[in-house]
Amino acid sequence: MAYLNANIPMIYSQIKREYLYDLKEHYGEVEDCIIFGLASITGRPILFHAIMENGAVFYRLPISAFIQRGFTADQVPRMRLDELELWNCFSYYPSVTTFDLLEGSSGKFFGKDKKKHPGAYLFTVDWAHPESNIVDTDHSEIPHEHKCAHILALENGNYAAQPNNRILWDIPSFTVKDEVPDWKVQTSEWNVEDTRKWKTEDTDKFFYDIEENKND
């Protein structure tokens, strides 16, 4: 788990040039870039790092700053940052994972506009608290507060960062039911060592307390 900055799978992309000019000029223009990393700051959206064709690197841009290659600026609908990414970062300690099951899969996320936005999976960002000697002022490990962010390349040319409860994935050989679950938010903190009903033997036996059940 990284602190603040993390590598991500490289994304050959385009950057909206107005983000290189503090949103003051060059609207409607794009240039090629490679997104190669991210910064995670508590209370801020995921911020991405990109290198341009002139060799310059620009740090800490939101996901709304980029569109996919193969699209022109006028083809890609302008979506607000809070539509593309639902939650801010949950801590300064991000974990970046590309899950094999989801890699190459597509899905759709349910937006604030009540519409479905289809896209392809890229990778996942998750958060946790690093160690007990640092005061935990975040809520990355509170069951009912925690969210991850799956990074998607949307069919409309945008990118998005959405949590599990906003996405339905399409795996043709398995996801054959066409329904939105009515599940409840997870609130339990699971623990296998919080009972007083069992203790280990106070011996030097390697396989302690293993007695065959005669009823099996």
Side-chain angles (χ1 to χ4, degrees), residues 191-199:
N191 190 339
V192 299
E193 297 185 28
D194 60 350
T195 176
R196 300 180 62 188
K197 297 180 180 179
W198 182 83
K199 290 182 174 63

Side-chain angles (χ1 to χ4, degrees), residues 56-100:
V57 168
F58 209 103
Y59 256 32
R60 298 187 180 181
L61 292 173
I63 203 165
S64 57
F66 305 96
I67 65 172
Q68 296 165 50
R69 288 195 181 182
F71 290 84
T72 60
D74 59 336
Q75 290 177 317
V76 179
R78 283 193 169 269
M79 298 177 66
R80 300 191 316 270
L81 174 57
D82 68 294
E83 293 177 313
L84 298 171
E85 181 175 349
L86 204 60
W87 301 105
N88 287 326
C89 296
F90 286 81
S91 82
Y92 283 87
Y93 297 87
S95 170
V96 177
T97 307
T98 301
F99 289 108
D100 290 345

Side-chain angles (χ1 to χ4, degrees), residues 27-44:
Y27 278 85
E29 301 175 16
V30 296
E31 63 179 81
D32 286 344
C33 68
I34 300 174
I35 311 171
F36 63 87
L38 64 79
S40 177
I41 300 174
T42 302
R44 296 288 183 267

Side-chain angles (χ1 to χ4, degrees), residues 3-135:
Y3 170 73
L4 183 61
N5 292 301
N7 286 299
I8 65 172
M10 290 187 299
I11 306 172
Y12 286 80
S13 184
Q14 297 182 99
I15 188 168
K16 300 175 184 176
R17 296 194 74 224
E18 65 262 29
Y19 282 87
L20 302 175
Y21 292 87
D22 198 25
L23 302 179
K24 291 182 171 60
E25 53 186 309
H26 293 284
Y27 278 85
E29 301 175 16
V30 296
E31 63 179 81
D32 286 344
C33 68
I34 300 174
I35 311 171
F36 63 87
L38 64 79
S40 177
I41 300 174
T42 302
R44 296 288 183 267
I46 301 170
L47 301 172
F48 294 91
H49 311 324
I51 187 169
M52 314 304 158
E53 287 186 309
N54 60 11
V57 168
F58 209 103
Y59 256 32
R60 298 187 180 181
L61 292 173
I63 203 165
S64 57
F66 305 96
I67 65 172
Q68 296 165 50
R69 288 195 181 182
F71 290 84
T72 60
D74 59 336
Q75 290 177 317
V76 179
R78 283 193 169 269
M79 298 177 66
R80 300 191 316 270
L81 174 57
D82 68 294
E83 293 177 313
L84 298 171
E85 181 175 349
L86 204 60
W87 301 105
N88 287 326
C89 296
F90 286 81
S91 82
Y92 283 87
Y93 297 87
S95 170
V96 177
T97 307
T98 301
F99 289 108
D100 290 345
L101 178 69
L102 297 178
E103 188 174 16
S105 297
S106 61
K108 51 185 175 291
F109 87 82
F110 300 90
K112 288 183 175 181
D113 57 5
K114 308 298 183 183
K115 296 179 180 178
K116 298 176 183 177
H117 300 274
Y121 175 79
L122 297 179
F123 59 91
T124 301
V125 185
D126 206 346
W127 294 271
H129 187 67
E131 60 137 318
S132 58
N133 288 318
I134 298 176
V135 177

